[in-house]
Amino acid sequence: IIALLEKVKEGVISLEKAVENCNKIIAVYCFDPKLFKIDKFGFQKTAKFRAQFLIETITDLKENLANLNVTLLTYFESPENKIHEICDAFSIDAIYTQKEWTKEEIITNNLIKDTLSETIDFIEDYDQFLYHPETVSKNFNNIPDVFTQFRKKLEKYITIPEEALISKLAASNTTQNNTAIPTLLEMGFNDFDTHPNTAFPFLGGENEALKLSLIHI
C-alpha cells in the first residue's frame, strides 16, 4: 500500500494513520494558484506577506518531514489538477487528508475526489482541533450562547487528546523529489524586505512557533 498525504501541514493524525496502515507514504502540498489571483472585488485572498509566511512554513515542513524520511512533493498547481496525476505516477492506494468543513475547502476536496479512481480510498480526519467535534457533540445537547460557559464545560468534562508522535521511518520510504517550493516571483509577487519596526516580526513554520512558545513560557 502506498499512501499520499495531502495538505500535510496540519495533518498530524493523518500522518499517524498513514504510517500505521501503509507500507510507504508520500506527502504533498499544492500552492493553489487560485489563492493568489485578484478576485472580482480587486483583492487577493493571499497577498505577499501571507505568501511569504506560507513559503517559510512549507520550507520548514519539508525539512521536518525529511528528518522522518518522508518526502514532501510541492507544486504550484491546483490540487484537483495534480493529485490524480501523482496517484497514477506512484500507484497510490489511499489519500489521508484533513477533513474540511468550510465551503471552498469542501469544494476543492470534492473536485479532487471526482478525478480519482474508485479504487483509491479518500480518508479524512479532523486533525486540527484542540477538541474533536464528535467528542464535543456527545457532551452537549445544546451549545451555550455564551462562550465562557462553553469553555468551562469543555475544560471540566472533555480531555484534550494526546499529541501524536511520529517515529522516524526507514530510509527506503524516501522518494526522488524533482519538485520545488515556488518563489514569491513565481507566485506573482515582488521580493520585499520586512520593515525593522514591524509589529509582526514572525517567520513561518513549526520550529519558529516552538521557539516563540519557549520564549513566552
Side-chain angles (χ1 to χ4, degrees):
I1 299 174
I2 301 178
L4 177 74
L5 297 178
E6 193 239 336
K7 288 181 280 192
V8 293
K9 66 190 178 79
E10 296 174 350
V12 177
I13 293 176
S14 295
L15 177 57
E16 182 182 33
K17 278 191 172 183
V19 169
E20 290 177 351
N21 296 298
C22 302
N23 296 331
K24 187 169 184 176
I25 62 175
I26 303 168
V28 175
Y29 186 84
C30 290
F31 292 79
D32 195 335
K34 295 191 295 291
L35 301 180
F36 307 98
K37 293 181 179 178
I38 296 176
D39 63 20
K40 62 182 179 180
F41 301 107
F43 298 100
Q44 290 170 302
K45 182 180 292 289
T46 302
K48 65 179 183 180
F49 292 105
R50 187 177 175 189
Q52 179 62 39
F53 190 87
L54 179 58
I55 289 171
E56 293 165 353
T57 299
I58 301 305
T59 300
D60 185 70
L61 174 65
K62 185 176 182 179
E63 294 174 357
N64 288 345
L65 286 174
N67 291 333
L68 296 175
N69 284 330
V70 177
T71 301
L72 175 63
L73 307 179
T74 54
Y75 301 92
F76 185 40
E77 293 189 50
S78 297
E80 62 268 26
N81 295 335
K82 194 64 188 178
I83 298 296
H84 67 95
E85 294 181 1
I86 302 170
C87 289
D88 292 340
F90 292 98
S91 300
I92 299 298
D93 293 324
I95 295 177
Y96 291 79
T97 187
Q98 176 178 297
K99 183 164 180 63
E100 303 291 357
W101 70 99
T102 47
K103 182 178 179 181
E104 291 182 356
E105 286 76 12
I106 291 173
I107 289 173
T108 296
N109 272 2
N110 287 336
L111 288 173
I112 293 171
K113 293 176 187 177
D114 289 342
T115 67
L116 299 176
S117 164
E118 294 181 357
T119 61
I120 298 176
D121 294 326
F122 198 89
I123 302 162
E124 300 172 282
D125 282 289
Y126 288 115
D127 53 13
Q128 69 277 46
F129 297 126
L130 194 61
Y131 299 101
H132 194 285
E134 291 181 2
T135 305
V136 174
S137 64
K138 289 178 182 177
N139 286 272
F140 285 90
N141 293 323
N142 295 298
I143 301 296
D145 294 329
V146 179
F147 175 73
T148 300
Q149 297 173 3
F150 176 66
R151 176 182 58 79
K152 287 182 177 180
K153 189 170 183 180
L154 283 176
E155 293 172 347
K156 185 175 182 179
Y157 294 108
I158 301 179
T159 302
I160 298 173
E162 292 185 8
E163 181 183 2
L165 298 176
I166 311 299
S167 299
K168 187 173 183 177
L169 304 183
S172 58
N173 186 74
T174 58
T175 301
Q176 183 177 355
N177 190 354
N178 297 320
T179 69
I181 295 173
T183 64
L184 277 176
L185 291 175
E186 290 170 333
M187 296 164 71
F189 303 103
N190 293 323
D191 286 325
F192 63 91
D193 293 321
T194 301
H195 194 282
N197 297 327
T198 177
F200 302 98
F202 308 117
L203 298 176
E206 176 188 11
N207 292 331
E208 289 296 326
L210 290 174
K211 289 177 185 178
L212 286 174
S213 68
L214 290 173
I215 291 172
H216 291 291
I217 287 178

